Amino acid sequence: MKTLLIIDVQNDFCPRGALAVYDGDKVVPVINQIINKFDLVLASKDWHPEDTIHFENWPVHCVRNTKGAEFHPDLKVDKIDQILLKGTGNRNDGYSAFEATNLYLDKFLKEKGINELYVTGLATDYCVKATAIEASQKGFSTHVITDAIKAVNAQPGDNTRALEEMKKAGCNLMTSKEILLKAKNWGRN
Ligand code: VGL
Ligand code: ZN
């Protein structure tokens, strides 16, 4: 089963959001263009309580049940099979989608016999990186779609370093164009 993982494409990470990622919204049309090629689509949400140690390091963002925590309005949400809520506790960051608390992601994927993941979303240097590296470490063949991710870049160079770290961890970096070409052999278009 070809599985797409969409990380945190939420209002607060898009322009005018509380923790806006530069050009964060630009991932939306790219994800929308490939979303139909996958058999299973999982999308995570950063889903924080109002009070969490996470907000010692970040502006308040993606508080559960707020507008900022909703998916970007243009994301094709009707194609999402399962939502993963993460960062839901008061005492952890919950950067990786494997830390989702509404579903045990590792077990969920293994029970379905899924061993390959395609990762997209926000942000490259935090939740995308944490999820992709953990996926690779857990034995999933992990592809990161480089034109479907954007970085916070709190420090210059964070984007480049994140891509390097993911590669080092065994993740395969590819583009949405390559997905569209590959998908022709997946027996569905
Ligand atoms: C994220 C910073 C704080 C992310 C979440 O989704 O990458 N970054 N919380
Ligand atoms: Zn967060």
Side-chain angles (χ1 to χ4, degrees):
M1 278 220 287
K2 300 293 172 194
T3 303
L4 181 67
L5 204 46
I6 304 171
I7 304 297
D8 301 2
V9 179
Q10 292 163 273
N11 290 325
D12 270 346
F13 295 122
C14 292
R16 293 178 305 280
L19 180 42
V21 173
Y22 184 77
D23 275 352
D25 57 335
K26 298 279 169 69
V27 304
V28 174
V30 182
I31 293 168
N32 284 345
Q33 205 188 8
I34 59 172
I35 201 165
N36 279 326
K37 307 296 178 188
F38 293 86
D39 307 298
L40 185 68
V41 179
L42 311 177
S44 71
K45 278 184 163 180
D46 216 27
W47 197 252
H48 299 305
E50 278 168 38
D51 200 0
T52 161
I53 55 159
H54 188 59
F55 295 154
E56 289 171 15
N57 295 311
W58 298 103
V60 173
H61 63 278
C62 295
V63 172
R64 57 191 177 205
N65 301 311
T66 63
K67 189 89 192 158
E70 288 175 14
F71 289 123
H72 184 285
D74 296 339
L75 185 66
K76 284 186 182 169
V77 291
D78 53 314
K79 306 288 178 195
I80 296 169
D81 298 297
Q82 176 70 53
I83 290 173
L84 306 161
L85 304 176
K86 58 178 194 57
T88 60
N90 318 89
R91 310 208 56 82
N92 67 333
D93 292 298
Y95 289 130
S96 166
F98 287 93
E99 293 178 49
T101 53
N102 64 320
L103 182 102
Y104 188 9
L105 180 58
D106 186 34
K107 189 161 163 262
F108 174 86
L109 295 170
K110 283 176 179 155
E111 278 173 2
K112 288 196 175 325
I114 293 162
N115 49 28
E116 196 179 19
L117 292 174
Y118 292 79
V119 184
T120 60
L122 305 170
T124 308
D125 37 359
Y126 289 95
C127 291
V128 168
K129 180 178 92 171
T131 303
I133 290 178
E134 189 165 357
S136 186
Q137 286 168 346
K138 283 183 152 52
F140 296 95
S141 165
T142 307
H143 307 269
V144 177
I145 307 175
T146 53
D147 55 329
I149 58 176
K150 293 285 176 193
V152 174
N153 263 324
Q155 306 293 328
D158 279 357
N159 178 54
T160 314
R161 273 191 294 274
L163 295 172
E164 282 306 316
E165 283 176 55
M166 288 190 277
K167 255 203 277 187
K168 240 201 225 155
C171 304
N172 171 47
L173 307 188
M174 61 187 301
T175 64
S176 63
K177 200 172 157 193
E178 290 175 281
I179 297 279
L180 294 172
L181 285 169
K182 239 166 96 115
K184 293 190 175 165
N185 300 316
W186 290 352
R188 56 206 308 278
N189 286 286

